[in-house]
């Protein structure tokens, strides 16, 4: 059902963009590691709480459970750590620009693992969406210098992991096609990884002293959780070559929402070009499906 996949992928982009808009408010109160120790476990707890209504555990297939758990070791746990490290070394805009390579990794891996080879129009649309999203991210930066060195491997590794997650989840869907189960199992594993890492580093927040930050990052976590569920639901209904680039349009949602709630959001010429190119890429992608 490609139409449903398109709607869900775009909705996922809106949720991812919303989480990014809320994050700066929370970072006024918590360090990045503390933030991760709030957002991921909060989402995992929410998924587990509603799972009796959303997941038919009697239909669970162990091959799929193992795949979803393996995904949870990497996403969002490892991706969160890599992204925070990249932000510290490179800044958010370079990190975001390199992170927009995720659809390329996702489509390449889907072609290798699933045999989902995009047509030439889809391939062109994917390239244009990636280019537009990258211009959009860099165009909204006050200063976007591109440093050299091993630090560039951090956001590239995060993009590779995010790209791997999408075909991996589809492999799990072959034996248990349940997006809610995939999100619940994955987030429970990720919550254990993030909490353990934060505890080892002394990064657990204090419920009394850090109440404001905890509330902000609980909201961020719920937005990210909704984004992951809708992403997985889109993957259950459409190919990676369609879903991955549509989700990568989240900078458009970030820009639109940020202009409403954040100060200092600039809509300059490069941002306008980024918007136009991204929209053109989406149109080309949908025309080629």
């Amino acid at each position: 059902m490609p139409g449903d996949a398109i709607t869900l992928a775009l909705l996922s982009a809106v949720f991812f963009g919303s989480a990014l808009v809320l994050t700066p408010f929370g970072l006024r109160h918590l360090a990045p590691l503390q933030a991760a120790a709030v957002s991921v476990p909060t989402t995992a707890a929410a998924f587990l709480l509603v799972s009796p209504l959303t997941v038919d555990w009697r239909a669970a297939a162990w091959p799929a459970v193992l795949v979803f758990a393996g995904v949870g070791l990497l996403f969002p746990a490892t991706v969160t750590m890599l992204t925070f490290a990249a932000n510290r070394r490179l800044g958010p805009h370079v990190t975001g620009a390199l992170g927009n390579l995720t659809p390329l990794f996702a489509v390449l891996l889907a072609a290798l693992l699933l045999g989902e080879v995009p047509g030439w129009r889809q391939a062109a649309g994917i390239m244009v969406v990636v280019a537009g999203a990258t211009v959009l991210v860099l165009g909204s930066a006050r200063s976007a210098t591109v440093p050299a060195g091993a630090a560039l491997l951090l956001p590239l590794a995060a993009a590779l992991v995010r790209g791997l997650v999408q075909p991996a989840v589809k492999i799990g869907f072959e034996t248990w096609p349940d997006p809610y189960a995939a999100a619940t199992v994955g987030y429970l594993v990720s919550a254990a990884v993030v909490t353990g890492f934060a505890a080892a580093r002394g990064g657990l927040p204090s419920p009394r002293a850090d109440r404001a930050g905890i509330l902000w990052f609980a909201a961020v976590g719920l937005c990210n959780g909704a984004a992951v569920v809708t992403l997985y639901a889109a993957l259950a209904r459409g190919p990676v070559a369609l879903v991955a680039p549509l989700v990568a349009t989240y900078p458009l949602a970030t820009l639109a929402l940020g202009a409403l709630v954040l100060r200092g959001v600039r809509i300059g010429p490069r941002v306008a070009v980024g918007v136009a190119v991204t929209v053109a890429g989406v149109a080309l992608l949908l025309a080629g499906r």
Side-chain angles (χ1 to χ4, degrees):
M1 295 177 283
D4 291 342
I6 292 168
T7 301
L8 288 164
L10 292 174
L11 187 59
S12 178
V14 171
F15 283 127
F16 275 128
S18 300
L20 288 175
V21 171
L22 295 177
T23 295
F25 295 101
L27 287 175
R28 296 173 184 172
H29 306 279
L30 292 181
L33 182 57
Q34 293 177 308
V38 172
S39 63
V40 176
T42 295
T43 309
F47 281 145
L48 187 62
L49 182 64
V50 302
S51 65
L53 302 176
T54 58
V55 180
D56 182 6
W57 294 110
R58 295 171 298 178
W62 279 109
V65 172
L66 293 176
V67 170
F68 300 154
V71 167
L73 289 173
L74 299 174
F75 179 79
T78 302
V79 169
T80 299
M81 304 304 173
L82 287 170
T83 301
F84 286 163
N87 268 293
R88 187 167 58 247
R89 297 284 297 277
L90 303 172
H93 297 289
V94 174
T95 299
L98 292 175
N100 284 326
L101 296 175
T102 293
L104 300 182
F105 290 125
V107 171
L108 176 60
L109 291 168
L112 294 174
L113 299 175
L114 303 172
E116 294 184 0
V117 180
W120 70 268
R121 286 187 179 179
Q122 280 186 309
I126 292 166
M127 296 296 292
V128 173
V129 167
V130 170
T134 301
V135 171
L136 187 58
V137 170
L138 294 178
S140 62
R142 288 183 171 83
S143 60
T145 58
V146 181
L152 293 174
L153 295 177
L154 295 170
L156 288 175
L160 177 60
V161 171
R162 284 195 298 266
L164 174 62
V165 162
Q166 298 183 40
V169 166
K170 292 209 72 168
I171 290 173
F173 286 162
E174 292 176 1
T175 54
W176 192 15
D178 189 332
Y180 295 99
T184 301
V185 173
Y187 257 93
L188 287 172
V189 174
S190 273
V193 171
V194 170
T195 303
F197 186 81
R201 299 288 298 271
L204 293 177
S206 167
R208 291 185 178 181
D210 303 314
R211 184 176 301 175
I214 288 173
L215 291 175
W216 278 114
F217 277 105
V220 169
L222 293 176
C223 285
N224 278 327
V228 170
V229 167
T230 48
L231 166 62
Y232 289 174
L235 289 171
R237 292 165 172 79
V240 173
L242 176 65
V243 173
L246 291 178
V247 175
T249 63
Y250 69 87
L252 290 176
T254 301
L255 179 67
L257 294 169
L260 294 175
V261 301
L262 296 177
R263 296 180 179 179
V265 175
R266 301 186 306 165
I267 312 295
R270 285 198 296 178
V271 171
V273 169
V275 170
V277 173
T278 302
V279 171
V282 170
L284 184 59
L285 177 70
L286 297 182
R289 66 183 177 90

